[in-house]
Amino acid sequence: MKPLHYRAHFERHRTERIGWLRAAVLGANDGIISTASLVAGVAAAQASHANIMTTAVAGLVAGAMSMAAGEFVSVHSQADTEKADLERERDELATDGEAELRELTAIYVRRGLEPVLANEVATQLMAHDALGAHARDELGISEALSARPLQAAMASAVSFAVGAAMPLTVVALAPERSLLQWTVVSAAFFLALLGAIAATIGGTPVARSAMRVTFWGTLAMAVTAGVGALFGAPP
């Protein structure tokens, strides 16, 4: 019998993008909604065009910095937790490797392998990369899904700024009398487009994603405009 020769087969999966995709979509979505809502609220309060522009620019800068800081802190906390778990696992492998082998074997048995085969698989994987095997199959930590604080922070800040720049551009170009209408309609369009792009990249239904993002964004603008009209100066 001829020996079997295995050739590596490389595939790219959507889960590899989930870290930056989540941060980018969240940032752009928040940029559009936050800035458009600010503009809608201030415009409904009968503010001048200059004040509306100042509000939009300030919202872009403040929002981008806030998104970056918040994302960095939250994802860094996740990374610290993962690091602590890996250190604990490394210590357990060094002090009681047999128990860790049994633990990994039990995991594979629960996944459907026969006990003997599960033990063989666990033994070979631990001989190749014990910590990597336990990180992946016991802790659920993989390269594709591991926390990357700086990447998430940068993606959030840049995507927020890009998202916020869309309603800001509309504010700069739209007629002052119909500024509120232009802001709401254009922001709804931008949100639908964002939802469609995110769904396409992530491989999820486009229409459902676009409708969900647009609905909640429009609701936020409506509430903010209502507050602005309620507490704003009379025309």
Side-chain angles (χ1 to χ4, degrees):
M1 179 181 292
K2 294 182 179 181
L4 295 176
H5 296 282
Y6 295 97
R7 184 176 63 181
H9 176 61
F10 296 99
E11 292 182 342
R12 293 191 65 85
H13 298 281
R14 291 184 172 93
T15 52
E16 297 174 4
R17 313 167 185 163
I18 194 169
W20 66 262
L21 177 60
R22 180 189 67 86
V25 170
L26 176 63
N29 182 76
D30 198 21
I32 296 172
I33 294 176
S34 297
T35 306
S37 296
L38 279 172
V39 170
V42 177
Q46 305 299 322
S48 66
H49 188 270
N51 287 337
I52 296 174
M53 277 294 297
T54 301
T55 300
V57 172
L60 186 155
V61 175
M65 296 303 297
S66 175
M67 286 291 293
E71 195 72 16
F72 184 84
V73 170
S74 63
V75 178
H76 208 293
S77 297
Q78 178 187 341
D80 288 342
T81 301
E82 292 178 357
K83 183 178 179 180
D85 284 342
L86 289 173
E87 287 297 327
R88 177 182 177 183
E89 200 64 34
R90 185 179 286 107
D91 291 340
E92 292 175 350
L93 286 168
T95 57
D96 197 354
E98 288 298 322
E100 291 301 300
L101 176 61
R102 292 193 299 269
E103 187 176 31
L104 197 61
T105 299
I107 292 173
Y108 296 146
V109 169
R110 289 196 298 270
R111 292 181 180 178
L113 295 183
E114 293 293 331
V116 174
L117 179 58
N119 182 260
E120 292 178 358
V121 172
T123 301
Q124 291 191 31
L125 288 177
M126 287 186 63
H128 174 68
D129 181 8
L131 183 60
H134 281 271
R136 180 180 60 253
D137 296 321
E138 181 185 350
L139 303 177
I141 300 173
S142 66
E143 184 179 353
L145 302 178
S146 61
R148 296 180 175 87
L150 190 58
Q151 180 191 64
M154 291 296 295
S156 293
V158 172
S159 57
F160 183 98
V162 171
M166 297 178 185
L168 178 61
T169 303
V170 172
V171 171
L173 300 177
E176 186 172 355
R177 289 186 177 182
S178 55
L179 179 60
L180 179 58
Q181 293 84 348
W182 272 95
T183 299
V184 173
V185 172
S186 62
F189 171 77
F190 294 143
L191 288 169
L193 182 61
L194 174 65
I197 293 173
T200 301
I201 296 174
T204 57
V206 173
R208 184 187 308 169
S209 177
M211 289 177 61
R212 180 173 59 243
V213 173
T214 305
F215 170 78
W216 289 106
T218 304
L219 179 62
M221 288 184 286
V223 172
T224 311
V227 172
L230 181 63
F231 293 99

